[in-house]
Amino acid sequence: MKARIFDTTLRDGEQTPGISLTPDEKLLIARKLDELGVNVIEAGSAITSEGERNGIKKITSEGLSAELCSFTRAVQLDIDAALECDVDSIHLVVPTSDLHLEHKLRKSREQVKRMAVESTQYAVDHGLLVEISSEDATRSDMEFMKEIFQAGIDAGAKRICACDTVGILTPERSFDFYSQLMDLNVPLSVHCHNDFGLAVANSLAGLRAGATQAHVTVNGIGERAGNASLEELVVSLYSLYNVQTQINIQMLYEVSKMVARITGMYLQPNKAIVGENAFAHESGIHADGVMKKAETYEPIMPELVGHKRRFVMGKHVGSHIIKQRINDMGFRVDDERFSQIFNRIKSLGDMGKCVTDVDLQAIAEDVMGVMSEKPVELQELTIVSGNKVTPTASVKLKIGDVEKLEAGVGVGPVDAAIVAITKTIEDLANIEFEEYHVDAITGGTDALIDVVIKLKHDGKVVSARSTQPDIINASVEAFLGGINKILTDKKVNESKNV
Ligand code: KIV
Ligand code: ZN
């Protein structure tokens, strides 16, 4: 069996409080979803706004492989807007619970059924594939909902979808619920919300009952607690149920990060499959086990989803893992220095802190006396920025014994400063930014800004961080920290034989 993936990141996902995507952002995400291999992209709801229609039109003119779909209500105006955007299909949504009919639509069952039939006919007559969807299906009268579905099918709908709009199913109920729709004999979609954290489990149960398509969003974004998450569902199907999809699983981490960055909805670290901790190991026992054989504490390999394994050193850390990490960083330490490093990590752990690879490198360098001298030091930084000037930066750096002065322009003051610094350091011309992450630690405009960067040079990635009240200074300091690590690398290598 092969399950189909109907991605609604750009419609239900965009309904997440705080998310609003521009047409170009929608296009970027749609391209990635297509590359990922989803079967259907619900690109938005065409009736919503001019900008939404622009976004959908950009997507439909890309020549993507996925079926492109617009959400519509059972009204002609919505279908006309979808037609204007040239989509392949519509997700035609009809509320079916008495709660929604009485309190939201203020319409009778008969009226709603007529709307569903007329809209389906209208859309089919205009060449659209119709997936007719029951909103609040799991609180609807089953007989009435099936009557609506049957009427829609008779009018030409090709697929049906039953929405667990407020996420009240359990896996057992989901199996029973979706099983009851199988006798309609058309492809059935599950659409589950995550109000009780059961969206993926309920979707899996619905698929087991015979549904062939799941509605999902990347990172599980969506109204309230969100929708079933694409990556969790797809990997569960693959690894736990031996059910294939058309998804290129190795792209999942990359797609997740892209959607998080564009939507601004960053993930909790312990998010399954794609969270930063999904393949991170802290305790000495686990880390030791994983180093000997990854399966001891990993149900799937991080590479399967394009993620990476990480070791975080907290108070439970064992000496074995620290030795290994220090080795991997290129240090060779004697027993005395090793125990200094180990004790420092343990005492940081006792103070409630976890040591990342970047911190470990800093501790090791400190113990080895490597970083006492910085190859590059900032002496002056001047920024000119405003609404009517091109952001410009000039920097004076001390590189070894030489002072160098350079200027640069950029799209903003941080960019200008980075351009100016990069110009001064000729032997790092091919340096690449892997990541630039900014967080405001405290609230308000005087917040402490935490900047984390990752730089890539000659195939090696280094990270550096700076926390300051000024975003420009923090960014420059983090960037120089990274550069100093790269330049010190040679010295580190020299220290290998200590
Ligand atoms: O969850 C839901 O009920 C929906 C419909 C509006 C399709 O997203
Ligand atoms: Zn929904």
Side-chain angles (χ1 to χ4, degrees):
M1 178 203 163
K2 211 167 182 181
R4 282 169 53 93
I5 299 298
F6 177 115
D7 182 276
T8 179
T9 305
L10 297 176
R11 198 278 299 171
D12 228 352
E14 202 196 5
Q15 287 174 218
T16 304
I19 296 185
S20 180
L21 300 168
T22 64
D24 285 331
E25 288 172 336
K26 283 202 159 209
L27 178 61
L28 282 176
I29 294 178
R31 280 190 193 133
K32 250 308 172 246
L33 290 172
D34 197 52
E35 208 185 321
L36 181 68
V38 305
N39 299 84
V40 186
I41 298 175
E42 189 174 26
S45 165
I47 194 67
T48 305
S49 69
E50 192 58 41
E52 181 80 339
R53 282 189 287 286
N54 279 341
I56 301 177
K57 284 179 193 168
K58 276 178 188 260
I59 295 169
T60 53
S61 30
E62 274 287 297
L64 302 179
S65 310
E67 175 188 314
L68 302 176
C69 176
S70 170
F71 169 97
T72 71
R73 293 168 300 174
V75 291
Q76 191 179 321
L77 210 62
D78 286 26
I79 299 168
D80 286 338
L83 284 167
E84 183 195 325
C85 295
D86 202 21
V87 291
D88 304 309
S89 61
I90 58 170
H91 176 206
L92 192 155
V93 179
V94 185
T96 49
S97 69
D98 289 335
L99 186 68
H100 276 230
L101 296 195
E102 278 167 30
H103 299 281
K104 191 180 81 170
L105 279 193
R106 303 220 160 89
K107 294 208 184 310
S108 67
R109 287 184 175 191
E110 265 322 300
Q111 283 173 307
V112 165
K113 186 171 161 189
R114 202 171 325 117
M115 286 164 70
V117 171
E118 286 172 3
S119 304
T120 305
Q121 266 161 1
Y122 182 77
V124 171
D125 288 348
H126 286 78
L128 291 166
L129 184 151
V130 176
E131 174 161 333
I132 187 166
S133 197
S134 151
E135 185 182 14
D136 206 18
T138 49
R139 291 187 298 186
S140 299
D141 171 46
M142 180 55 85
E143 285 319 306
F144 173 61
M145 182 174 62
K146 286 178 83 163
E147 207 178 304
I148 294 269
F149 279 143
Q150 191 57 61
I153 295 164
D154 294 342
K158 291 281 180 263
R159 300 192 295 253
I160 58 172
C161 168
C163 300
D164 186 21
T165 303
V166 290
I168 49 159
L169 286 178
T170 61
E172 297 77 15
R173 287 191 48 219
S174 179
F175 184 85
D176 291 345
F177 174 79
Y178 285 106
S179 295
Q180 291 181 61
L181 296 171
M182 291 311 298
D183 59 3
L184 291 167
N185 285 321
V186 283
L188 167 65
S189 296
V190 293
H191 180 114
C192 297
H193 278 268
N194 204 31
D195 296 71
F196 290 90
L198 293 172
V200 171
N202 293 336
S203 302
L204 290 167
L207 290 169
R208 219 161 47 77
T212 49
Q213 181 169 270
H215 287 206
V216 290
T217 60
V218 175
N219 296 338
I221 59 174
E223 294 268 9
R224 308 182 308 281
N227 290 54
S229 116
L230 183 153
E231 52 286 347
E232 291 175 21
L233 183 91
V234 167
V235 177
S236 301
L237 283 172
Y238 176 82
S239 303
L240 307 176
Y241 289 85
N242 199 19
V243 172
Q244 309 297 317
T245 60
Q246 203 178 273
I247 296 297
N248 178 357
I249 293 184
Q250 275 163 8
M251 283 180 66
L252 285 173
Y253 181 59
E254 172 198 343
V255 175
S256 157
K257 284 195 62 147
M258 180 202 196
V259 169
R261 186 166 37 78
I262 293 180
T263 58
M265 287 285 292
Y266 287 97
L267 299 183
Q268 86 249 27
N270 63 333
K271 166 86 171 59
I273 314 291
V274 288
E276 282 314 300
N277 286 356
F279 301 95
H281 305 278
E282 198 263 355
S283 83
I285 295 171
H286 284 217
D288 187 45
V290 168
M291 280 190 336
K292 287 175 178 144
K293 189 153 179 69
E295 284 87 342
T296 51
Y297 291 103
E298 283 178 357
I300 55 168
M301 296 298 105
E303 299 78 25
L304 176 73
V305 295
H307 207 332
K308 281 198 207 84
R309 178 174 300 121
R310 213 159 53 86
F311 295 101
V312 179
M313 289 142 276
K315 70 175 174 191
H316 304 111
V317 72
S319 61
H320 194 69
I321 179 75
I322 296 183
K323 264 199 186 122
Q324 172 81 41
R325 298 308 296 144
I326 291 176
N327 241 346
D328 293 347
M329 286 171 189
F331 296 97
R332 297 290 177 271
V333 293
D334 57 19
D335 287 351
E336 197 194 318
R337 283 179 178 174
F338 176 75
S339 69
Q340 280 178 41
I341 295 171
F342 187 67
N343 290 339
R344 271 171 68 171
I345 292 169
K346 284 279 179 184
S347 58
L348 281 167
D350 282 340
M351 290 188 306
K353 300 208 178 345
C354 273
V355 171
T356 63
D357 272 359
V358 180
D359 304 322
L360 175 62
Q361 180 150 354
I363 292 169
E365 283 165 352
D366 193 36
V367 168
M368 312 279 294
V370 173
M371 287 292 278
S372 49
E373 215 182 88
K374 289 185 188 151
V376 180
E377 268 182 77
L378 180 69
Q379 301 210 308
E380 282 171 23
L381 168 68
T382 311
I383 298 286
V384 182
S385 188
N387 65 343
K388 295 224 166 110
V389 289
T390 305
T392 309
S394 72
V395 291
K396 195 204 271 183
L397 298 179
K398 190 156 174 269
I399 305 176
D401 295 332
V402 185
E403 272 188 357
K404 281 202 177 179
L405 197 62
E406 267 296 354
V409 293
V411 292
V414 171
D415 189 40
I418 301 300
V419 169
I421 294 171
T422 311
K423 278 189 191 173
T424 58
I425 307 164
E426 294 117 6
D427 43 335
L428 293 185
N430 58 347
I431 200 160
E432 281 171 51
F433 258 96
E434 280 270 296
E435 196 174 309
Y436 172 67
H437 189 85
V438 179
D439 261 336
I441 294 178
T442 49
T445 50
D446 60 348
L448 263 186
I449 305 294
D450 187 35
V451 175
V452 177
I453 61 156
K454 281 191 185 153
L455 301 177
K456 192 171 180 185
H457 185 256
D458 283 347
K460 186 166 179 178
V461 178
V462 297
S463 322
R465 151 182 256 149
S466 172
T467 308
Q468 299 193 23
D470 182 310
I471 187 168
I472 303 171
N473 286 335
S475 304
V476 166
E477 189 174 283
F479 184 59
L480 283 174
I483 283 187
N484 276 327
K485 279 189 179 160
I486 292 171
L487 293 174
T488 323
D489 208 34
K490 289 186 193 107
K491 276 198 171 179
V492 172
N493 288 335
E494 282 161 22
S495 70
K496 281 179 184 175
N497 48 8
V498 172

